[in-house]
Amino acid sequence: QVQVDESGGGLVQAGGSLRLSCTTSGRTGHYAMGWFRQAPGKEREAVSCISASGVTIYYDDSVRGRFTVSRDNAKNTHDLQMSGLKPEDTATYYCAMRRETYCPGYWFSSDAYHYWGQGTQVTVSP
């Protein structure tokens, strides 16, 4: 059974930084990974996608230049380094994994991912 687990959420002041980590288990090999977030009363939105090799990375425009995604395949980890945080970044952040190695053209859609974590809360105070 595939398991996806996020950690690292918390409360931070605007302008601060936070690092989220995602670990996966239960499936042999390495696959494309995504981060999503959902604020109260809003739809879930994509943050990033990173290919299995780490060569291809996509970011949503709202986070590009502030967030950096990385992965360590030897440890089965996938991190999201968030800097310059804004109150509008407040949300539950979810890690997701695809069954394929690449980020597709529709990487920003929840439908592109097959396995999801339970989410970790990030709160940015003004």
Side-chain angles (χ1 to χ4, degrees), residues 30-58:
H30 304 293
Y31 302 91
M33 303 291 297
W35 283 101
F36 282 71
R37 64 186 182 184
Q38 186 168 18
K42 295 188 177 181
E43 293 188 355
R44 187 173 297 189
E45 62 178 12
V47 173
S48 65
C49 182
I50 183 169
S51 64
S53 66
V55 171
T56 301
I57 297 175
Y58 297 109

Side-chain angles (χ1 to χ4, degrees), residues 45-108:
E45 62 178 12
V47 173
S48 65
C49 182
I50 183 169
S51 64
S53 66
V55 171
T56 301
I57 297 175
Y58 297 109
Y59 294 102
D60 183 76
D61 287 345
S62 65
V63 306
R64 187 176 294 114
R66 299 188 298 123
F67 291 10
T68 302
V69 67
S70 62
R71 65 187 298 157
D72 184 337
N73 286 341
K75 298 180 180 179
N76 276 343
T77 59
H78 163 225
D79 291 352
L80 182 68
Q81 177 66 46
M82 305 183 293
S83 303
L85 283 162
K86 306 174 182 180
E88 51 263 44
D89 294 318
T90 294
T92 300
Y93 283 70
Y94 297 90
C95 178
M97 186 171 81
R98 285 176 46 78
R99 292 194 185 115
E100 296 82 10
T101 61
Y102 60 94
C103 297
Y106 60 102
W107 66 270
F108 45 83

Side-chain angles (χ1 to χ4, degrees), residues 4-33:
V4 179
D5 295 298
E6 307 96 340
S7 62
L11 174 64
V12 63
Q13 287 189 328
S17 299
L18 209 57
R19 189 178 186 91
L20 305 183
S21 292
C22 174
T23 58
T24 62
S25 62
R27 186 171 175 90
T28 303
H30 304 293
Y31 302 91
M33 303 291 297

